[in-house]
Amino acid sequence: MAIWDLADELNHPMDFLLVQNGFINLFHQQAILDEAMSWLRNHRYRVVQVDAAAWQSRGDLHQDLARALDFPDYHGSNLAALNDCLSDVAVQTYGWTAMDTGLVLVIDGYETFESKDASAAHHLLDIFARQATYAALFGHRMMCLVRTGDPELEIPPVGGLSVAWNHREFLSAR
């Protein structure tokens, strides 16, 4: 079963525009991110927000994501455990339900955490991108919206794909 209808290529709904070039999208302008989140909520997406600027360590990253996505208590605070739990999220074991159109993880202040632990920041996006691809195999929609205060931020490829700017800020980012 297709996740989107072929007509969406012509109609360009917000969710289609956000994932057409990958499951991770960069945002700089808060108003544009707010507009996207509002549209997604209005279309029954579960939108989960975390503040990466508040993370001082990998432990904070794991604790915040575990709380936001309802990970089980036995979740280990490491990248392998994050990958395992996000694979469960991808098949709706927890974090969201079949009543939701999809799951959107919004990471705000990404560049702040990246400056503290670039490896963990990149691995987080890479793991999410790979698990969003896994979710798509089951007809589930997952995406990650990453807001940064740095309009020049470039992220190395994740999940085998480049990380693109959202469709509204793409032209102004260049």
Side-chain angles (χ1 to χ4, degrees), residues 107-163:
I107 302 174
D108 200 1
Y110 177 83
E111 79 288 352
T112 303
F113 183 67
E114 184 194 39
S115 71
K116 295 173 188 160
D117 192 337
S119 176
H122 185 260
H123 277 92
L124 166 60
L125 297 185
D126 189 59
I127 290 167
F128 191 93
R130 291 177 185 279
Q131 294 306 333
T133 301
Y134 182 63
L137 295 174
F138 300 99
H140 299 160
R141 300 178 183 187
M142 284 176 51
M143 65 186 86
C144 182
L145 311 181
V146 178
R147 197 185 78 73
T148 174
D150 178 2
E152 301 295 320
L153 181 68
E154 292 187 26
I155 297 174
V158 295
L161 297 172
S162 297
V163 176

Side-chain angles (χ1 to χ4, degrees), residues 99-111:
M99 299 298 294
D100 299 308
T101 301
L103 173 70
V104 181
L105 175 62
V106 179
I107 302 174
D108 200 1
Y110 177 83
E111 79 288 352

Side-chain angles (χ1 to χ4, degrees), residues 21 26 32 163-174:
N21 294 316
L26 287 174
I32 293 175
V163 176
W165 282 92
N166 70 85
H167 67 284
R168 291 206 30 217
E169 292 183 286
F170 172 74
L171 295 177
S172 66
R174 298 292 163 241

